[in-house]
Amino acid sequence: MGRLLVRRLGGLATTLLLSSVVIFGSLYLAPGSPENVLFGNRMPTAAARAAARHRLHLDQPLPVRYWDWLSGVLHGDLGTSMVTGQPVADRISAGLSTTVLLVLMTMVLVVVVGLAMGLAAALLPGRVDAAVSTLTSVSVTVPPFVASTLLISVFAVRMGWFPASGLGEGLGGRIDGLVLPSCAMAVLSCGFLGRVTRNAVREQLEREHVQTALVRGLPRLVVLRSHVLRNALAPIVTAVGLLTAGTFASTLVVESAFAVPGIGQLTIQSVAQKDFPVVQAVALLLVGAFVLCNAASDLIQAVVDPRLRETGSTS
């Protein structure tokens, strides 16, 4: 287990380092110049432009700028917004709790509904399996922005059960405002997890030792719990980890559709305003969330399946 943990932490650090190089280089090597954001439509003098470039350290070589930025990130300094002049960390922290709550609500729906559909399809072949397979086939084709539009039209505009945009006051108001966004992101993921669960459980049910246990008269519930579900957990945990990481990326679309003041909406606004420091910080944060979710799923697999602790790798 310790060897697996060390390998995962090493891979996490390497991925974040390489991602930081790509994120920093892609933004500053893109066409245009960052100091143009400060001047807007004004035409600055050569002296004013040179002063702005010096203040933003744009007159230094790219490797030096990257090292200064990376050193600041490692010390908790994500830079200063070029649009508002606020520390980037303050702008991100303002919407981070909302985004985390949205992702948490989404994944609760995904795990509950996805597992229920997958188990029903695997354990009840025939009409139930066919109905669930049809439902999952439809749900995996619905992107979050389409689901957002449909949910707003039906449950916000027509029925008036939930707000169409924004959040209310207090925790109850925030949860009420995040119900539709979480459902919009959960539609596709529920179908995907349902398929993975159905295939994993069905594969275990067809194993010879499971059939032997059932023939010998062991209670079906005991066989399902001890031999089927436990062995089927590995691909399910992997799918949940990947879906959680993908949910953070889906917030870019859904938060904008529902006007939710989270990280996703901040990213879209920052890209439109060409606020380079904020875009860099959010991109690195999303990569970090993706890597952490994958590492967590690997460690959970190692806890569920002791064989993975000996090999030092997960399926």
Side-chain angles (χ1 to χ4, degrees), residues 88-134:
V88 174
D90 292 344
R91 297 201 67 188
I92 292 178
S93 62
L96 183 59
S97 61
T98 300
T99 297
V100 171
L101 179 60
L102 174 58
V103 172
L104 180 61
M105 292 175 59
T106 301
M107 292 314 301
V108 168
L109 287 174
V110 170
V111 171
V112 173
V113 178
L115 287 179
M117 290 194 303
L119 290 174
L123 300 177
L124 300 173
R127 292 184 178 180
V128 175
D129 185 15
V132 172
S133 298
T134 302

Side-chain angles (χ1 to χ4, degrees), residues 14-15 28-29 34 59 88 101 111 176 198 203 212 221 292:
T14 303
T15 303
Y28 279 98
L29 292 178
D59 54 349
V88 174
L101 179 60
V111 171
D176 187 52
R198 183 249 186 211
E203 180 183 357
T212 302
L221 185 60
L292 284 175

Side-chain angles (χ1 to χ4, degrees), residues 103-257:
V103 172
L104 180 61
M105 292 175 59
T106 301
M107 292 314 301
V108 168
L109 287 174
V110 170
V111 171
V112 173
V113 178
L115 287 179
M117 290 194 303
L119 290 174
L123 300 177
L124 300 173
R127 292 184 178 180
V128 175
D129 185 15
V132 172
S133 298
T134 302
L135 183 61
T136 56
S137 298
V138 173
S139 66
V140 295
T141 62
V142 181
F145 69 89
V146 174
S148 299
T149 304
L150 293 176
L151 290 173
I152 291 174
S153 300
V154 176
F155 295 101
V157 177
R158 181 171 299 179
M159 297 185 176
W161 290 355
F162 301 99
S165 62
L167 301 178
E169 296 294 333
L171 179 60
R174 294 177 66 188
I175 293 178
D176 187 52
L178 293 177
V179 169
L180 291 185
S182 62
C183 291
M185 291 195 297
V187 170
L188 187 149
S189 298
C190 284
F192 180 81
L193 184 60
R195 282 186 170 185
V196 172
T197 302
R198 183 249 186 211
N199 294 336
V201 174
R202 182 64 63 84
E203 180 183 357
Q204 294 300 322
L205 285 172
E206 295 173 355
R207 293 292 177 90
E208 183 176 354
H209 69 279
V210 174
Q211 296 297 325
T212 302
L214 292 174
V215 169
R216 288 183 175 180
L218 288 178
R220 182 176 177 84
L221 185 60
V222 174
V223 175
L224 290 176
R225 184 178 65 250
S226 303
H227 299 283
V228 176
L229 296 181
R230 185 170 183 177
N231 293 329
L233 274 180
I236 295 174
V237 170
T238 300
V240 171
L242 293 174
L243 291 173
T244 303
T247 301
F248 279 97
S250 298
T251 59
L252 299 178
V253 175
V254 175
E255 287 185 358
S256 297

